[in-house]
Amino acid sequence: MRSPAPMILKGIQQAFAPTPRSLKHPKVRFWFCLTLAYAAMVAVLVWDSVSGEPYAIADDARQHVVWMLRFTDAELFSNDWIADYFQSVSPIGYAWLYRLFAWLGIPPLAFAQILPSILIVLTAITAFLACLELCALPATGFAAVAMLNQSVEFVNAVASGTSKAFVFLFALLFLVGWLRRSRWLTWLSIALQGLFSPQTVLIASGVMVLGLAERREGRWQIKTERSYWILTAGGLIVAATVILSYGLTSGQFGPTMTAEQALTMPEFFPRGRNQFFRSDLVEFLLYGRSGLRLDIALTPVTNLLALSLPILCCYPHRFPLVQTVKPRIHLFTHLLISALGWFFLAHMLLFKLHLPSRYTGRFFLLVLALAGGIALIIWVDALLRWAIAALSPSAKASGQFKSWLVSGLSTGLAIALMLILVLYPATMSGYPSTSVAKGREIELYQFLANQPKDSMVAGLSAEISNIPSFSLRSVLVSSEVSIPYHVGYYTVLRQRTQDVIRGQYTPDAAILKSIIAQYGITHWLLSATSFDVGTVNGDRWIQQYQPEGGQAISVLTSQQVPALQRLSSSCTVFQSDQHQLIDAQCLLSAED
């Protein structure tokens, strides 16, 4: 009796075969629906992570979303220097999207919890379409989306609900338009990149310029097709318009910090709030804000499969599906070259093009996820072909046991690859990791929320970073918003921080009162360890501001008592186990 195994394996192998580039094809629809189901599962997990608690917010949303509460209540954050700054650096389309939904009745913080799930699904759709254009293998769309969704960096970025959440979506939309040679889709995608994530425009521009050259008859030549030049020229015009509209400064908050200035500031060195420079050259070029961020690109480790794709392409007879990939595989090279080019240019023009790592980590991840998905399906197809060949009559003639062994091993490896692809998140502790800041001082937030809307809270506790998000009240300074990339903004913020440190630790009540009066501070927040020498000495944010940080240590280690500590008991309006809130206006009239 003839074994049904070869027929079953052939049926499975056919599911990975090439198809027309159309969603109307049954096999394409099958993989598309499977892709949507997987993305929807991740979207639900992310939504649950960012909205599971009443006092929880994506970390970066504290900077880039909270100021948008102005859309629902114009009295919130009025005359707030910090809110004004983050409004000024927000991409136009991103801000207007939140404004639109606020007008429709969905507050910014609520929309920030909904948006990530929407973007995850939309990104999955565009990634699937991009893979279909790259190689007409619908199974690669599912594999690439699975790999992308398993990346902690992808989930973190999208879950933030900030402008960086749109990077993957519009980069993939550009790839779809570019591969289809569609003018309107290519130009539209570049315009959308400019409206939501301007730096992505530079990567797209590099890809378009690199695409003007092609290798024919053993040498590089410039393309002569008129339609191609129109497509490229139009795209570059849109890109140039976007770049010129933003300029290189941030209005009253500019100009951008120069490398020479940054080299004199502890904020940019180890233990600083925005560490950029490192003593080790390898670490400087690979990690953090200055580096290539290969750690992002290689998370999850299944992305390493992408490194096998160039090797597979060298053996088309052993890996037949390679034939569907070769014609357009150069796009990955163009993406990587463009990313590297802007990475090094960003280093040369520091910080005019913002952080160099913004041009590599996420785009390397995108390339490796797409290439890894393609490589995985080529491997699975080849393994199934080998399993089928091992069960052929000619193969069995040389030994039935050997044939079944080879077939079983090949089939087992193919199944293992697919299972690893789908089940990998189960091995990742805490997946999805969405970098959510969770507030614990609920009674404090509620107390401040009941204070006048023009309240101004000062303090050095880490909890001060949560006040705008959970109490909707302004703060004078916080470590979360201490971003030193624009001179106009950070000069003011640095002075404020130095004054708050001096005010909190000075023994002279007159100095404390003058700082309160100068900034119109209404409340001062202290933590239970605010006057603990070890805590202050170990606080990286405080100690990067000198001489104030050192002076605070000197006061605490001497016989002197800070004026705020002496006067706080008579003006305390709220106290918990961890925090003490003081009426700053009461301090102005308090007798020392």
Side-chain angles (χ1 to χ4, degrees):
M1 182 177 176
R2 188 175 180 180
S3 171
M7 294 299 296
I8 295 173
L9 290 174
K10 284 181 181 179
I12 296 173
Q13 185 265 326
Q14 280 300 307
F16 301 96
T19 65
R21 293 185 173 90
S22 172
L23 288 175
K24 294 180 180 180
H25 192 280
K27 194 184 300 181
V28 176
R29 286 204 303 267
F30 167 78
W31 285 109
F32 181 68
C33 290
L34 204 59
T35 300
L36 281 182
Y38 190 93
M41 178 194 70
V42 176
V44 170
L45 291 174
V46 169
W47 178 82
D48 181 65
S49 178
V50 300
S51 63
E53 298 183 30
Y55 290 95
I57 185 172
D59 192 29
D60 287 346
R62 293 186 291 177
Q63 299 173 11
H64 300 286
V65 176
V66 169
W67 70 265
M68 296 186 192
L69 291 166
R70 289 170 163 180
F71 297 156
T72 57
D73 187 342
E75 294 181 5
L76 290 176
F77 307 114
S78 59
N79 301 315
D80 188 315
W81 179 261
I82 295 168
D84 289 345
Y85 171 71
F86 284 105
Q87 180 172 355
S88 75
V89 298
S90 293
I92 299 170
Y94 165 70
W96 274 97
L97 180 67
Y98 272 84
R99 186 186 290 272
L100 171 63
F101 278 90
W103 179 75
L104 293 173
I106 303 177
L109 294 183
F111 183 60
Q113 294 179 340
I114 300 170
L115 180 61
S117 297
I118 297 172
L119 289 177
I120 285 171
V121 174
L122 292 178
T123 302
I125 293 172
T126 49
F128 184 90
L129 294 176
C131 287
L132 198 62
E133 292 297 324
L134 276 166
C135 58
L137 297 172
T140 64
F142 171 77
V145 167
M147 287 187 172
L148 189 60
N149 278 282
Q150 290 169 15
S151 167
V152 171
E153 171 59 25
F154 171 80
V155 175
N156 278 345
V158 177
S160 71
T162 64
S163 59
K164 67 182 180 181
F166 295 85
V167 168
F168 296 96
L169 173 61
F170 292 135
L172 286 164
L173 189 64
F174 166 75
L175 295 184
V176 174
W178 186 247
L179 288 166
R180 290 181 177 178
R181 299 295 182 257
S182 168
R183 294 178 190 175
W184 73 267
L185 188 55
T186 300
W187 298 344
L188 174 64
S189 66
I190 295 172
L192 288 172
Q193 287 175 342
L195 290 171
F196 288 85
S197 52
Q199 289 170 312
T200 318
V201 171
L202 300 176
I203 302 290
S205 300
V207 171
M208 289 187 290
V209 171
L210 291 169
L212 291 173
E214 63 179 345
R215 192 168 182 82
R216 288 185 296 186
E217 299 175 358
R219 61 192 181 94
W220 288 100
Q221 299 180 18
I222 300 297
K223 289 183 178 178
T224 56
E225 295 91 336
R226 182 172 176 272
S227 60
Y228 196 92
W229 276 89
I230 292 174
L231 172 65
T232 303
L236 292 176
I237 289 171
V238 174
T241 303
V242 167
I243 294 168
L244 290 174
S245 68
Y246 280 98
L248 296 178
T249 63
S250 185
Q252 63 173 317
F253 301 102
T256 51
M257 197 73 67
T258 65
E260 291 76 14
Q261 291 171 314
L263 285 167
T264 66
M265 299 170 63
E267 289 89 333
F268 291 96
F269 285 86
R271 290 187 59 80
R273 165 66 176 81
N274 295 82
Q275 179 181 343
F276 184 86
F277 300 109
R278 297 169 184 262
S279 56
D280 188 294
L281 181 60
V282 174
E283 289 188 357
F284 178 71
L285 291 175
L286 291 182
Y287 303 109
R289 296 174 173 89
S290 63
L292 293 169
R293 297 309 306 269
L294 295 180
D295 53 325
I296 290 176
L298 295 176
T299 303
V301 294
T302 46
N303 284 351
L304 285 169
L305 278 168
L307 303 181
S308 70
L309 186 57
I311 300 172
L312 298 178
C313 289
C314 296
Y315 302 95
H317 297 298
R318 289 182 175 272
F319 304 95
L321 292 190
V322 161
Q323 298 292 349
T324 66
V325 179
K326 272 191 172 182
R328 298 187 171 193
I329 200 67
H330 63 273
L331 180 62
F332 291 147
T333 305
H334 291 174
L335 264 173
L336 293 175
I337 292 174
S338 179
L340 283 170
W342 288 110
F343 170 82
F344 287 113
L345 192 59
H347 268 289
M348 293 170 62
L349 299 176
L350 207 66
F351 292 93
K352 295 292 185 183
L353 299 177
H354 201 37
L355 298 173
S357 61
R358 295 291 178 89
Y359 298 95
T360 50
R362 293 183 187 123
F363 290 95
F364 285 3
L365 168 62
L366 195 58
V367 169
L368 290 185
L370 296 178
I374 293 171
L376 185 142
I377 297 305
I378 292 175
W379 275 111
V380 170
D381 174 79
L383 287 167
L384 290 175
R385 288 175 185 270
W386 298 342
I388 294 168
L391 295 179
S392 66
S394 58
K396 285 184 177 180
S398 61
Q400 191 167 0
F401 175 77
K402 180 181 177 181
S403 295
W404 279 104
L405 179 62
V406 171
S407 179
L409 288 174
S410 298
T411 303
L413 284 173
I415 294 172
L417 280 175
M418 292 303 294
L419 287 177
I420 289 172
L421 174 69
V422 176
L423 300 179
Y424 184 80
T427 68
M428 302 169 69
S429 177
Y431 180 85
S433 175
T434 49
S435 293
V436 173
K438 297 180 180 180
R440 303 302 182 191
E441 291 287 322
I442 297 174
E443 292 181 353
L444 170 64
Y445 310 143
Q446 293 172 343
F447 178 87
L448 281 170
N450 289 320
Q451 304 307 303
K453 294 179 181 179
D454 60 352
S455 297
M456 176 64 71
V457 185
L460 300 168
S461 165
E463 194 60 52
I464 203 81
S465 294
N466 290 328
I467 298 302
S469 306
F470 303 142
S471 297
L472 312 188
R473 296 296 177 262
S474 297
V475 297
L476 191 64
V477 294
S478 78
S479 60
E480 179 65 23
V481 298
S482 297
I483 309 299
Y485 301 122
H486 290 98
V487 175
Y489 169 70
Y490 194 64
T491 299
V492 171
L493 200 73
R494 181 181 178 86
Q495 185 61 57
R496 286 184 175 189
T497 308
Q498 291 173 316
D499 287 341
V500 171
I501 296 172
R502 191 167 71 254
Q504 184 158 309
Y505 295 103
T506 179
D508 190 339
I511 294 177
L512 169 63
K513 292 178 181 181
S514 69
I515 290 172
I516 291 173
Q518 177 186 351
Y519 291 110
I521 298 169
T522 60
H523 298 84
W524 203 294
L525 183 65
L526 296 174
S527 72
T529 57
S530 286
F531 299 109
D532 179 78
V533 177
T535 299
V536 177
N537 191 45
D539 192 313
R540 295 193 306 167
W541 180 48
I542 293 177
Q543 292 307 316
Q544 73 184 10
Y545 298 104
Q546 297 296 337
E548 288 76 15
Q551 291 170 350
I553 297 297
S554 297
V555 170
L556 294 175
T557 54
S558 69
Q559 299 300 315
Q560 303 176 85
V561 178
L564 186 58
Q565 187 176 15
R566 296 198 307 267
L567 301 174
S568 61
S569 59
S570 61
C571 293
T572 298
V573 292
F574 172 88
Q575 188 155 6
S576 67
D577 292 339
Q578 297 299 320
H579 290 90
Q580 178 183 7
L581 188 67
I582 302 162
D583 184 337
Q585 296 304 302
C586 169
L587 291 174
L588 292 177
S589 58
E591 295 292 335
D592 192 0

